[in-house]
Amino acid sequence: MSQISSSAIIELALNLAGSLNTKDRFDRLLDTVRKTIVCDAVALLSYHGDILKPIALQGLSRDTLGRRFSVAEHPRFTVLCQSKSPIRFAADSPLPDPYDGLLDDYTGDLPVHSCMGLPLYYDDKLLGLLTIDSLTPHIFEDIPKRTLEVISAMASATLNTAFLIEQLENQADHSKRVVTELTEEAWKRDGGELIGESQIMQQLKQEIDIVAASDFNILVYGETGVGKELVARTLHHKSLRKNGPMVYVNCAALPENLIESELFGHVKGAFTGAEKKRAGKFSLANGGTLFLDEIGELPIAAQSKILRAIQSNEIQPVGQDNVEEVNVRIVAATNRDLKEEVKDGRFRADLYHRLSVYPIRVPKLQERVGDVQLLSGYFVEQTKQKLGITQLKIAAEAISHLEQYSWPGNVRELEHVISRAALKARSRQKHKTIIAIESADCGSLNMVSSETNLPIKERNMASVEFADINLRDETDRFQRQLISKTLTQEGGNWAAAARRLTTDRANLNRIAKRLNIQVVKSVIEN
Ligand SMILES: Nc1ncnc2c1ncn2[C@@H]1O[C@H](COP(=O)(O)OP(=O)(O)OP(=O)(O)O)[C@@H](O)[C@H]1O
Ligand SMILES: [Mg+2]
């Protein structure tokens, strides 16, 4: 038997490098062994404690793959597992052969034959064995030691690579399942269902069904609290990307100097504080949906960068030379009128067109005829569970009271009103098992004038001189005054101010940021 040729080694290395998957890699390894050493059977076994598991074989019956050999019960395997170097068993060795009756070309007890095994080590750890058998006695005796060493090294590396790949695949699979679970969980946490039977809501649901399965970018727009986020999550849930991630980005809360790194990631050392490589939101959303909430608040410079990523499906992490390909569907949401923003130069027209391939308008609660009742029932049930109340109901007169209100804060406002009303009702009816929400529990909602659709308090505005008045500026001014006043009254406590204004803290922060409101808390020293 000659020394293994360098061309065989190169061929094996190239074969292994070009392998498509683990099975293919093992088959190629066994092919090369058979080309180098004349034999009738060759098997690769992986070592698991005291068990050897065949993972690839040639020349042995297929059922061998299903066998699990206990090392202690097979003396030849025991010897091999205790050895650090290849072992050639004597042709007339009295030790029973584990492959007795398993060779393809021979039935019955194995006669005198050649048998050798190569223990496969990596980093001093036994990974498995390579066994080689031939029905011709003494045939392995003159194989050079060097040839066996090379085959051992190749087989060990192959096995180690396979184990590493398996580990990585398991990890990747696990992470994927975690992402699916979390995305599903986030969807369910929000109730996961768009409640509403009004005609306008039925239309909305139909639109969602039509467009969800497409890969179009979607712009979800509508007033505050109408349920834009819920619509975005529903779109993802009904899309083909449902098992991929849905990554949330609040564009209003992105610190301006970190926007690029947040969205596209950065490499280690890209800037002070970048201690390690970090993936951005686009990469995290790969294969899924990127939800760009409050897109209207994004500074112009960041808009250009997002546009580039959407156009090319490529991102460039900060500090990295090459670009990375991403497969992301964008769902963006805003409560601004982006067309107006484009006209006023605050939003890039090209980005607007890219995002609004299919715009979805979420209607105001006031437009959803009959839905206040359904939503009230829905929130009553949710609140009942949250507060641990045995039975909570809402009186018919309370519903009609709610139905007359204009709901400027939309569904979110209704949700908050019901939560507060339930608390009040519970403290009023401490000893009752069935607690009923009555209209008094809902507090005084700012009733609207059907004529102007404005809260009564503001109807007096009608007497104001309207010449030269700019609606946006006036509204901003009013909001600025109201928020500043409330914040001052609440001692700079944003959460408390948000509660008083029946909105949530993030929303209040966002509006305050846009209006340039800053509250400095004063510390009173004694
Ligand atoms: N049709 C609906 N059915 C059930 N719950 C709803 C519905 N619409 C909205 N909600 C609930 O109302 C709350 C506000 O909805 P969401 O946060 O989606 O509003 P939004 O339009 O994103 O508001 P904002 O512009 O202030 O961010 C959430 O708790 C949401 O689950
Ligand atoms: Mg929102």
Side-chain angles (χ1 to χ4, degrees):
M1 176 67 51
S2 63
Q3 186 101 18
I4 187 166
S5 69
S6 43
S7 63
I9 297 177
I10 292 169
E11 194 188 333
L12 175 61
L14 288 175
N15 266 341
L16 294 179
S19 299
L20 301 172
N21 52 41
T22 302
K23 184 178 176 308
D24 188 39
R25 195 170 290 126
F26 289 155
D27 287 343
R28 291 179 189 214
L29 174 74
L30 300 194
D31 284 345
T32 313
V33 172
R34 288 190 92 170
K35 268 189 218 159
T36 315
I37 299 173
V38 180
C39 60
D40 293 299
V42 53
L44 184 65
L45 302 104
S46 60
Y47 178 72
H48 308 270
D50 52 353
I51 297 286
L52 282 166
K53 177 179 160 192
I55 46 179
L57 41 87
Q58 291 183 8
L60 289 164
S61 64
R62 230 182 88 74
D63 68 281
T64 314
L65 276 177
R67 293 180 186 244
R68 301 293 174 260
F69 297 103
S70 157
V71 177
E73 283 170 24
H74 294 280
R76 290 193 192 219
F77 283 152
T78 311
V79 173
L80 287 172
C81 289
Q82 284 167 358
S83 168
K84 284 268 177 183
S85 52
I87 291 197
R88 286 170 248 219
F89 291 97
D92 56 354
S93 166
L95 298 177
D97 194 303
Y99 299 147
D100 242 347
L102 300 177
L103 250 66
D104 272 346
D105 297 338
Y106 196 89
T107 43
D109 290 352
L110 279 175
V112 173
H113 68 288
S114 299
C115 166
M116 70 175 173
L118 286 61
L120 307 176
Y121 282 88
Y122 201 92
D123 270 352
D124 266 351
K125 192 176 155 224
L126 181 68
L127 301 180
L129 299 179
L130 185 73
T131 62
I132 306 171
D133 288 84
S134 165
L135 291 166
T136 317
H138 313 295
I139 193 168
F140 299 151
E141 279 167 19
D142 56 353
I143 301 176
K145 190 168 162 258
R146 175 81 190 131
T147 300
L148 294 184
E149 278 169 6
V150 170
I151 293 179
S152 287
M154 290 284 192
S156 302
T158 308
L159 209 51
N160 191 50
T161 307
F163 286 161
L164 284 179
I165 289 176
E166 191 181 309
Q167 245 177 34
L168 289 175
E169 278 173 354
N170 284 346
Q171 268 171 22
D173 185 54
H174 174 77
S175 305
K176 207 173 149 206
R177 271 187 285 131
V178 169
V179 164
T180 310
E181 278 292 316
L182 292 178
T183 310
E184 181 80 6
E185 206 262 335
W187 186 68
K188 284 191 182 142
R189 195 170 352 109
D190 267 355
E193 193 190 340
L194 273 170
I195 304 290
E197 293 300 325
S198 55
Q199 208 192 344
I200 201 159
M201 279 305 278
Q202 285 183 28
Q203 266 170 24
L204 174 70
K205 289 184 201 176
Q206 259 172 24
E207 271 185 282
I208 292 175
D209 284 342
I210 292 170
V211 81
S214 78
D215 235 9
F216 291 153
N217 294 329
I218 315 264
L219 179 68
V220 183
Y221 67 101
E223 283 186 1
T224 182
V226 284
K228 296 184 291 296
E229 184 169 343
L230 190 55
V231 167
R233 293 200 183 278
T234 310
L235 280 166
H236 174 75
H237 187 77
K238 294 195 165 198
S239 77
L240 300 174
R241 297 169 176 261
K242 153 183 187 163
N243 290 328
M246 164 140 180
V247 175
Y248 176 89
V249 180
N250 183 348
C251 298
L254 286 174
E256 208 150 338
N257 54 339
L258 289 179
I259 287 184
E260 209 176 336
S261 132
E262 284 287 316
L263 293 174
F264 309 124
H266 62 247
V267 295
K268 186 179 169 184
F271 47 84
T272 326
E275 278 158 18
K276 53 183 183 179
K277 181 178 164 85
R278 186 161 174 260
K281 303 283 189 186
F282 268 84
S283 305
L284 294 175
N286 202 10
T289 304
L290 184 64
F291 176 36
L292 298 175
D293 201 8
E294 318 276 8
I295 185 95
E297 314 303 314
L298 209 61
I300 288 274
Q303 291 174 23
S304 328
K305 288 178 179 141
I306 287 198
L307 176 68
R308 216 174 310 135
I310 298 177
Q311 276 171 337
S312 62
N313 292 327
E314 279 174 354
I315 53 154
Q316 187 167 25
V318 179
Q320 185 171 302
D321 290 338
N322 52 324
V323 292
E324 288 173 14
E325 216 174 285
V326 282
N327 168 11
V328 164
R329 180 204 205 168
I330 307 278
V331 175
T334 182
N335 50 15
R336 291 202 186 202
D337 181 345
L338 279 195
K339 260 192 210 149
E340 280 301 311
E341 299 289 309
V342 169
K343 264 194 218 151
D344 295 349
R346 279 190 292 264
F347 203 84
R348 286 185 66 124
D350 38 13
L351 179 59
Y352 171 70
H353 292 300
R354 277 273 166 180
L355 291 175
S356 57
V357 178
Y358 201 111
I360 289 189
R361 176 177 169 268
V362 187
K364 292 190 278 192
L365 180 52
Q366 214 183 19
E367 296 170 59
R368 310 180 195 178
V369 182
D371 281 356
V372 166
Q373 185 168 23
L374 298 191
L375 282 161
S376 301
Y378 177 73
F379 291 132
V380 164
E381 187 59 28
Q382 265 195 353
T383 314
K384 183 193 104 160
Q385 283 168 16
K386 270 188 212 151
L387 299 182
I389 300 174
T390 322
Q391 188 54 283
L392 180 67
K393 61 177 197 172
I394 181 159
E397 49 91 26
I399 298 259
S400 39
H401 176 63
L402 296 178
E403 276 176 332
Q404 282 161 41
Y405 182 49
S406 64
W407 300 109
N410 293 292
V411 186
R412 182 181 295 110
E413 189 180 3
L414 175 61
E415 187 179 1
H416 289 174
V417 165
I418 300 272
S419 306
R420 276 202 305 269
L423 281 174
K424 278 191 204 160
R426 183 171 68 170
S427 73
R428 254 192 327 104
Q429 305 158 66
K430 273 194 190 91
H431 305 295
K432 293 201 174 161
T433 32
I434 301 180
I435 292 172
I437 297 176
E438 288 164 14
S439 58
D441 297 316
C442 301
S444 65
L445 304 164
N446 280 337
M447 289 305 165
V448 291
S449 133
S450 55
E451 230 174 287
T452 61
N453 219 17
L454 280 173
I456 284 169
K457 278 189 200 160
E458 280 143 54
R459 263 190 284 151
N460 298 337
M461 284 284 282
S463 57
V464 173
E465 179 52 61
F466 274 98
D468 292 323
I469 256 187
N470 175 306
L471 179 63
R472 187 180 178 106
D473 291 348
E474 286 306 309
T475 320
D476 283 356
R477 192 168 56 85
F478 172 72
Q479 286 195 359
R480 202 174 290 117
Q481 274 173 3
L482 183 66
I483 294 173
S484 302
K485 197 170 119 203
T486 316
L487 276 166
T488 310
Q489 284 171 356
E490 295 293 343
N493 183 331
W494 287 86
R499 270 196 300 278
R500 285 250 324 261
L501 294 169
T502 332
T503 182
D504 64 33
R505 194 185 156 150
N507 195 34
L508 184 63
N509 271 323
R510 195 196 66 228
I511 300 171
K513 193 175 153 209
R514 182 172 66 80
L515 298 174
N516 242 334
I517 300 174
Q518 279 162 2
V519 171
V520 180
K521 274 197 192 173
S522 54
V523 179
I524 302 162
E525 284 174 348
N526 292 318

